[in-house]
């Protein structure tokens, strides 16, 4: 095996599903890369062991009866990876890959020692002329300036981006270990932002490469689920607190808390009391867990090699809140529709 074809462990995370997972694995086994293994980390799918053994006998399965969440699932998959694997690739179960996807990701990440993470061109499944998420940059409150719904034909060059989507990406194994993996406490949402941010603070670059192509369904749940909203609010605050330099943290955290508090009041107005409580619980968790958060912050800040100033100069960190306002504007109609349905 040549150096260019170092072994890759591909980790697919799954929960309570066989249909999407089957489509993903059907495409994945056709990958033309010469040396890779497939690891499925599953939560709560009935009879998944028998199904994998029957249909995908070479796939390694790690199964949990409880839902440990995507963040922990990624870490479990990385821990299960063959010790000889130099790269870890992560996929959501609702993705399908083109045969050359892994070859192209390894090629771009192998040729530059500074690159720690690479993302393929992720297309919207069923609308392959449009892009799924890529974290081009983040605004002051940590919201992605994303490629979502942009024309894929406009992104045909290798780009440096702030964060790679965990729907599909590859990470150097030694970089994953140095960063410390994903934060298990995130459960779901923003774990990719936090991971890539910590990698960047250690001096590693994150790259988008258009020659590797993956399609992603990205199914959106109807309405706003309080449980997921809680983790979204909590994790965004955790990410800001851990990764910003102190001089850049204060006003951003202040604005974030005000914005989320106003959102909670809006939820009350629209009679979405569960969502209001979830938002406030997300904010409160930063106070309840302050000691642990502070310890994590000290670890991140003490090991950083790259300043916020450099990331601002590269326009990977932005000083405005435009992406956050756009996100909230898109979410607001969900509350309006629900209120009108009740009147």
């Amino acid at each position: 095996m040549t150096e260019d074809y170092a072994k890759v462990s591909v980790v697919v995370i799954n929960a309570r599903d066989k249909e999407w997972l089957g489509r993903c694995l059907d495409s994945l086994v056709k990958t033309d890369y010469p040396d890779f293994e497939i690891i499925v980390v599953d939560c709560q799918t009935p009879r998944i062991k028998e199904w994998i053994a029957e249909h995908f006998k070479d796939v390694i399965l790690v199964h949990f009866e409880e839902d440990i969440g995507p963040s922990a699932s990624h870490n479990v998959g990385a821990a299960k990876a063959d010790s000889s694997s130099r790269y870890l690739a992560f996929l959501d179960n609702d993705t399908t890959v083109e045969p050359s996807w892994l070859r192209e990701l390894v090629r771009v990440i192998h040729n530059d020692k500074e690159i720690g993470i690479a993302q393929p061109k992720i297309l919207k499944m069923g609308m392959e002329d449009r892009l799924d998420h890529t974290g081009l940059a983040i605004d002051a409150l940590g919201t992605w300036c994303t490629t979502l719904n942009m024309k894929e034909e406009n992104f045909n060059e290798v780009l440096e981006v702030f964060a790679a989507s965990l729907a599909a990406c590859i990470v150097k194994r030694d970089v994953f270990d140095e960063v410390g993996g994903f934060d298990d406490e995130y459960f779901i949402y923003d774990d990719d932002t936090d991971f890539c941010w910590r990698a960047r603070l250690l001096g590693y670059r994150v790259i988008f490469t258009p020659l590797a192509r993956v399609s992603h369904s990205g199914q959106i749940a109807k309405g706003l689920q309080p449980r997921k909203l809680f983790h979204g609010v909590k994790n965004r605050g955790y990410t800001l607190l851990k990764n910003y330099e102190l001089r850049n943290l204060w006003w951003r955290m202040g604005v974030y808390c005000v914005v989320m508090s106003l959102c909670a009041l809006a939820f009350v107005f629209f009679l979405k009391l569960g969502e209001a409580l979830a938002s406030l619980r997300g904010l409160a968790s930063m106070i309840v867990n302050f000691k642990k958060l502070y310890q994590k912050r000290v670890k991140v800040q003490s090991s950083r090699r790259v300043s916020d100033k450099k990331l601002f100069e590269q326009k990977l960190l932005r000083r405005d809140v435009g992406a956050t306002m756009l996100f909230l504007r898109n979410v607001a109609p969900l509350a309006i529709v629900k209120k009108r349905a009740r009147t």
Side-chain angles (χ1 to χ4, degrees):
M1 186 60 59
T2 67
E3 192 74 13
D4 290 338
Y5 295 133
K7 187 167 185 176
V8 182
S9 293
V10 181
V11 177
V12 182
I13 64 167
N14 185 68
R16 300 172 294 278
D17 174 82
K18 292 177 185 173
E19 182 177 353
W20 281 107
L21 179 61
R23 295 178 189 177
C24 177
L25 295 179
D26 279 336
S27 70
L28 190 51
V29 296
K30 298 173 185 175
T31 296
D32 65 11
Y33 192 79
D35 192 8
F36 71 102
E37 64 176 357
I38 302 173
I39 302 167
V40 171
V41 181
D42 172 74
C43 296
Q44 299 181 316
T45 304
R47 299 185 60 80
I48 186 73
K49 295 179 182 178
E50 296 84 354
W51 182 80
I52 288 287
E54 179 181 356
H55 297 284
F56 303 99
K57 63 180 181 179
D58 293 328
V59 169
I60 301 165
L61 174 68
V62 183
H63 172 70
F64 293 90
E65 292 296 334
E66 71 276 14
D67 189 355
I68 66 172
S71 298
S73 294
H74 288 118
N75 287 336
V76 168
K80 188 68 175 179
D82 190 289
S83 60
S84 66
S85 292
R86 286 189 55 192
Y87 303 103
L88 301 169
F90 297 100
L91 288 174
D92 282 353
N93 67 339
D94 58 347
T95 57
T96 58
V97 301
E98 295 188 359
S100 63
W101 77 288
L102 195 54
R103 186 186 296 269
E104 293 297 338
L105 284 176
V106 171
R107 183 181 62 81
V108 73
I109 203 170
H110 175 76
N111 288 335
D112 192 328
K113 292 182 179 180
E114 293 184 355
I115 299 175
I117 306 164
Q119 180 192 307
K121 177 184 280 190
I122 306 178
L123 310 171
K124 295 188 70 174
M125 191 175 292
M127 296 177 59
E128 275 74 9
D129 64 326
R130 299 289 172 171
L131 290 177
D132 197 83
H133 287 291
T134 304
L136 298 175
I138 60 169
D139 76 359
L141 304 187
T143 303
W144 281 21
C145 303
T146 178
T147 59
L148 184 65
N149 292 323
M150 293 184 180
K151 292 184 178 180
E152 69 89 13
E153 64 186 19
N154 294 332
F155 289 82
N156 289 318
E157 303 291 335
V158 173
L159 299 174
E160 183 155 4
V161 298
F162 181 83
S165 169
L166 280 176
C169 68
I170 192 170
V171 184
K172 288 177 179 175
R173 180 75 168 273
D174 57 351
V175 172
F176 183 90
D177 292 338
E178 186 178 358
V179 173
F182 299 97
D183 191 330
D184 286 359
E185 293 188 43
Y186 278 46
F187 190 79
I188 189 172
Y189 298 139
D190 266 18
D191 47 345
D192 42 12
T193 307
D194 174 63
F195 178 82
C196 290
W197 201 338
R198 287 185 282 128
R200 282 204 157 279
L201 294 184
L202 291 174
Y204 296 106
R205 298 167 62 208
V206 184
I207 293 296
F208 164 92
T209 177
L211 295 180
R213 294 165 62 92
V214 174
S215 294
H216 182 219
S217 174
Q219 304 171 73
I220 300 175
K222 296 180 180 179
L224 297 172
Q225 300 176 18
R227 179 168 172 258
K228 293 184 177 181
L229 182 59
F230 161 71
H231 287 293
V233 174
K234 167 180 68 73
N235 296 347
R236 182 65 56 84
Y238 281 18
T239 300
L240 300 180
L241 283 168
K242 288 161 58 179
N243 294 298
Y244 267 127
E245 290 176 344
L246 191 59
R247 61 183 174 178
N248 294 315
L249 175 63
W250 294 112
W251 77 264
R252 290 168 173 83
M253 275 307 304
V255 172
Y256 179 71
C257 291
V258 169
V259 169
M260 290 300 103
S261 297
L262 291 174
C263 286
L265 287 175
F267 283 133
V268 172
F269 176 77
F270 289 116
L271 303 181
K272 302 184 75 171
L273 301 183
E275 287 83 349
L277 181 59
S279 300
L280 294 175
R281 286 180 56 235
L283 290 176
S285 69
M286 291 184 281
I287 300 173
V288 173
N289 298 307
F290 180 77
K291 182 177 180 180
K292 185 181 291 186
L293 263 176
Y294 179 74
Q295 292 171 343
K296 291 183 178 182
R297 173 177 172 79
V298 169
K299 183 176 180 180
V300 171
Q301 298 301 316
S302 63
S303 61
R304 71 183 296 158
R305 304 175 191 135
V306 174
S307 66
D308 288 354
K309 180 180 179 181
K310 181 175 181 179
L311 296 177
F312 282 124
E313 290 173 349
Q314 293 176 292
K315 298 183 179 180
L316 297 171
L317 288 180
R318 293 178 51 172
R319 302 180 187 276
D320 63 273
V321 296
T324 298
M325 294 300 103
L326 179 62
F327 172 77
L328 293 176
R329 188 182 70 182
N330 291 335
V331 169
L334 294 174
I336 296 172
V337 167
K338 185 168 183 179
K339 187 187 179 197
R340 285 178 177 171
R342 291 184 176 186
T343 59

